[in-house]
Amino acid sequence: MSSPNSILGTFLHALGGVSAASCYLPSTKTKGWSWNTYWLTQSLFAWMVVPLLLAWITVPNFFSIITEAPSKPFWMAFLLGGIYGFGGMSFGKAINHIGYSLTYTLAIGISAVVGTIMPLVVFGGLGDFFNKPGGTIVLLGMLLSILGVAICGWAGFKKEKDLAKEKLNKTGFNMMLGLALTIVAGVLSGVFNLSLEYGQPIADMAAENGAGHFEGNAKLVVSTFGCFVVNFIWYVIAGYKQKTLKEFLPNKDENDKTNNRLLKNWLLSSLTGTLWCMQFFFYGLGHVRMGDYQFASWVLHMSMLIFFSYIVGVIMKEWKNVKKQTYIVLIIGLVILILSFCITSYGSY
């Protein structure tokens, strides 16, 4: 087990936030693929190929650990990961309906609260954690994080209002459906953290086998595989019904070099999946360094994700045409989030 170092842990969570905040950007460049085809491809990499590859490289005797893992932690992590699979679907669809920034803020804000509190309620010790030295400071940091999320959400709503005419003219924009999907995504994203907590005995086995800082990669595979199975079944059936599975095959015509486009789409989709998975690679590295306040990792990670999603949004000029007041609200929310990172890190230190 690595020595606690909350400063380094916070930095690693930040790297995870960058990966997560940018993972859906490649989807804007895919052409000629339906959402079913794109999502199925990125799911393959996000929840199966990349986690398995990381675990194989970083965890000694990984396959032996999996076969010898206790059944309850294994199946609980797998099943809860499968439940999160529906959250991943909802998140992707919500982006199509209400936009990138608003989906991230609301879904991840809900996930930050649910994913932090739920494991403490299920496994016990909610009060004890905050009574430890520095616990009050950590609690303050978490509350500030929630406040920052709320203010960023307010900025998101103001942005949608400022750009109402443009957004409403977009095909598929549906505020009510998008909000419903976002709530589902946020709650089930919190369940994913519970899945990781149930899989901790698998990570402990990896640590005993010399995995060191990379112990979390062993349990991550189990959780993400559950997620992949749900998405694979859903989107293969959807692809069959909607006749989109043929998009995986080259179909040349006189005006389009389909082979090149197909290769490009595969590369972009695999990049999406890789970036998604890398957020939890860095999450695992940061989590083991948070000492007695590992439970704060989730809210810290989610806050980082929201912070960097807004930075990406600004770079992509999503906020270019909003009113000055909306931009000020956004800046205030981001400053509070930065402050919450510092306070949570200091308290756990």
Side-chain angles (χ1 to χ4, degrees):
M1 180 71 66
S2 48
S3 301
N5 186 335
S6 59
I7 305 299
L8 178 58
T10 300
F11 173 72
L12 291 166
H13 282 305
L15 292 180
V18 172
S19 294
S22 57
C23 71
Y24 286 105
L25 290 179
S27 68
T28 62
K29 301 296 183 181
T30 56
K31 296 179 180 180
W33 270 10
S34 64
W35 179 260
N36 290 345
T37 305
Y38 164 76
W39 192 261
L40 186 58
T41 306
Q42 75 84 25
S43 296
L44 175 66
F45 287 89
W47 300 319
M48 187 174 177
V49 174
V50 179
L52 192 60
L53 184 62
L54 287 174
W56 178 61
I57 293 174
T58 61
V59 179
N61 304 314
F62 166 69
F63 293 105
S64 296
I65 292 172
I66 292 298
T67 56
E68 297 171 5
S71 60
K72 182 178 178 180
F74 181 93
W75 288 111
M76 287 299 294
F78 175 82
L79 292 173
L80 290 170
I83 293 173
Y84 165 72
F86 291 102
M89 295 181 203
S90 299
F91 189 89
K93 286 291 186 180
I95 291 177
N96 292 338
H97 289 299
I98 63 174
Y100 186 86
S101 298
L102 193 55
T103 299
Y104 262 89
T105 300
L106 296 178
I108 303 307
I110 294 170
S111 176
V113 178
V114 174
T116 300
I117 299 301
M118 189 183 295
L120 295 178
V121 173
V122 172
F123 296 106
L126 181 61
D128 293 340
F129 276 113
F130 292 112
N131 288 327
K132 294 178 180 178
T136 303
I137 299 175
V138 171
L139 179 59
L140 174 61
M142 292 175 67
L143 292 175
L144 276 177
S145 178
I146 294 170
L147 176 62
V149 167
I151 293 177
C152 285
W154 182 27
F157 276 112
K158 288 176 69 66
K159 174 203 168 190
E160 298 299 323
K161 185 176 180 180
D162 293 346
L163 305 178
K165 291 182 180 179
E166 177 186 344
K167 292 291 181 183
L168 288 171
N169 286 331
K170 274 191 171 184
T171 302
F173 180 79
N174 187 325
M175 193 67 177
M176 292 303 295
L177 178 57
L179 284 174
L181 289 169
T182 300
I183 292 171
V184 171
V187 172
L188 295 186
S189 178
V191 170
F192 189 76
N193 189 37
L194 188 60
S195 170
L196 294 175
E197 290 297 327
Y198 265 108
Q200 185 57 40
I202 300 173
D204 294 338
M205 292 175 64
E208 293 171 0
N209 275 268
H213 302 161
F214 302 107
E215 63 179 59
N217 291 341
K219 64 178 179 179
L220 179 64
V221 171
V222 181
S223 297
T224 57
F225 186 64
C227 182
F228 171 72
V229 168
V230 168
N231 279 263
F232 179 79
I233 294 173
W234 183 282
Y235 279 101
V236 166
I237 293 174
Y240 176 77
K241 289 183 176 180
Q242 299 174 22
K243 299 181 179 180
T244 58
L245 294 177
K246 61 184 179 181
E247 293 172 356
F248 285 110
L249 303 174
N251 182 24
K252 286 188 176 182
D253 57 51
E254 295 180 357
N255 301 316
D256 188 25
K257 295 181 180 179
T258 310
N259 278 337
N260 291 336
R261 186 180 67 188
L262 190 65
L263 177 60
K264 181 179 178 181
N265 286 349
W266 268 95
L267 291 174
L268 289 170
S269 299
S270 64
L271 178 58
T272 295
T274 301
L275 288 172
W276 187 96
C277 184
M278 291 306 293
Q279 72 166 305
F280 284 105
F281 173 76
F282 289 116
Y283 174 87
L285 292 178
H287 181 70
V288 297
R289 290 175 168 83
M290 295 302 290
D292 289 336
Y293 293 96
Q294 290 185 350
F295 73 95
S297 285
W298 190 258
V299 72
L300 184 62
H301 183 81
M302 294 296 107
S303 299
M304 290 286 190
L305 202 164
I306 293 172
F307 175 78
F308 286 110
S309 73
Y310 274 93
I311 297 299
V312 170
V314 170
I315 293 174
M316 298 298 292
K317 299 181 179 180
E318 283 190 356
W319 298 80
K320 181 179 180 181
N321 298 316
V322 301
K323 295 179 181 178
K324 182 179 179 180
Q325 295 90 332
T326 301
Y327 208 80
I328 291 174
V329 172
L330 172 64
I331 296 300
I332 292 173
L334 294 180
V335 169
I336 291 177
L337 281 177
I338 293 173
L339 184 61
S340 76
F341 306 155
C342 297
I343 291 177
T344 300
S345 180
Y346 174 73
S348 60
Y349 177 77

